[in-house]
Amino acid sequence: MRVIDLEGLEQQLKAHSYKLTRQRRAVLRVLATTDGRLDAARICEDARAECPEIGLTTVYRTLDILADIGALRRLHLPDGCHSYAPASPGHRHHLICVGCGRAVEFEGCDLTALVDSVASKTGFEVEGHWLQLMGRCPECQSKRK
Amino acid sequence: MRVIDLEGLEQQLKAHSYKLTRQRRAVLRVLATTDGRLDAARICEDARAECPEIGLTTVYRTLDILADIGALRRLHLPDGCHSYAPASPGHRHHLICVGCGRAVEFEGCDLTALVDSVASKTGFEVEGHWLQLMGRCPECQSKRK
DNA sequence: CCCCTAATTGAACATGGTTTTCATTTAGTA
DNA sequence: TACTAAATGAAAACCATGTTCAATTAGGGG
């Protein structure tokens, strides 16, 4: 199980002058300690272990905040949108397991050559890109036999 | 206005033994002749010029079929999912205008180095990737002044 | 340390896009 | 032309997400 920096997340919230409520703490803990697929409903369910009265509404609100301040990235999966994965600062992308939904960050994509060539061919101003790798994590590979 | 191969699309449907109905023809024509944003509601609206009785249900069903047989690709935009763009056979990606939603295909991404490096670092079997460029098309650039 | 106030919350309801249901129509074949 | 499975449209169901609003609470000022 991957553990990311729970305190760091709390600091980020405070830095943006958001209050640290029990509900938000619970959501952060789920994000910091899970490695599977994270949609709002699942996060809510897990968060109830620590904070039983939390509602879906609050989960959505918290996810929005975290995405705004860059602590979280929305993933778009083939079957739909809006799973979430914790995001480090900087330019990163995610590698997503098609078996279990686990998301791993990576960096070091270099698309400048591609972007330049496409921009000059089309006349577009390219403002950004969006890249995800899809694959199968080691656990799901062995489960498969 | 980009015009793609309408007859080709019809052939593809027949090749998969789908019937060529008036409704499907209308949807195909919209796909073949538009270059703007294509969500289901807009497609339905446009298709009514040729087939006034077509319903949204049928549009969704037709889009599903076309995505299944690879004639269409679902695009995921920042504000939501599920716009569609006609897809040529082969390995292509789309460059999408954040202003008007127009989508342009391109090819020639070469990610093998990246994929290999990420795969060996993470132990994942990488099965595929998904890349979209976001930018602003020439028209939307001039509109902006 | 406690009060105060603005921020936060949850329940219920609203919304919007997509899917399902089912009786009716139709494309393509015999 | 007749037949049959596929396709259709209207309506209803669905599901994820957003909004409203009265009640609660975090955290700074006193």
Side-chain angles (χ1 to χ4, degrees), chain B residues 3-16 18 20 24-25 28-29 31-32 66 69-72 86-89:
Chain B
V3 178
I4 66 169
D5 182 14
L6 182 54
E7 281 206 17
L9 287 173
E10 299 190 347
Q11 293 311 320
Q12 283 188 266
L13 273 187
K14 297 193 102 164
H16 290 263
Y18 289 108
L20 249 191
R24 284 175 183 167
R25 250 187 265 265
L28 293 181
R29 179 187 300 274
L31 291 175
L66 292 171
I69 66 179
L72 201 61
S88 314

Side-chain angles (χ1 to χ4, degrees), chain A residues 76-77 80-81 95 97-98 104 106 108 111 114 118 122-138 141, chain B residues 76-77 81 95-98 104 106 108 111 114 118 122-138 141:
Chain A
H76 291 219
L77 304 171
C81 293
L95 164 60
C97 176
V98 297
V104 175
F106 66 89
L111 298 173
L114 173 65
V118 170
T122 60
F124 274 55
E125 265 172 17
V126 178
E127 299 180 350
H129 64 265
W130 192 19
L131 171 67
Q132 289 181 184
L133 300 189
M134 257 75 79
R136 208 165 281 272
C137 72
Q141 288 172 41
Chain B
H76 292 220
L77 304 171
C81 293
L95 164 59
I96 299 153
C97 176
V98 296
V104 176
F106 66 90
L111 298 173
L114 173 65
V118 171
T122 61
F124 273 55
E125 266 173 14
V126 178
E127 300 181 347
H129 64 266
W130 185 18
L131 173 66
Q132 287 182 184
L133 301 189
M134 258 74 80
R136 206 166 282 273
C137 72
Q141 288 171 41

Side-chain angles (χ1 to χ4, degrees), chain B residues 10 13 23 26 38 45 49 55 65 72 75 82 115-116 118 130:
Chain B
E10 299 190 347
L13 273 187
Q23 291 86 341
L38 291 168
E45 193 182 315
I65 290 171
L72 201 61
L75 305 180
H82 296 175
V115 166
D116 289 349
V118 171
W130 185 18

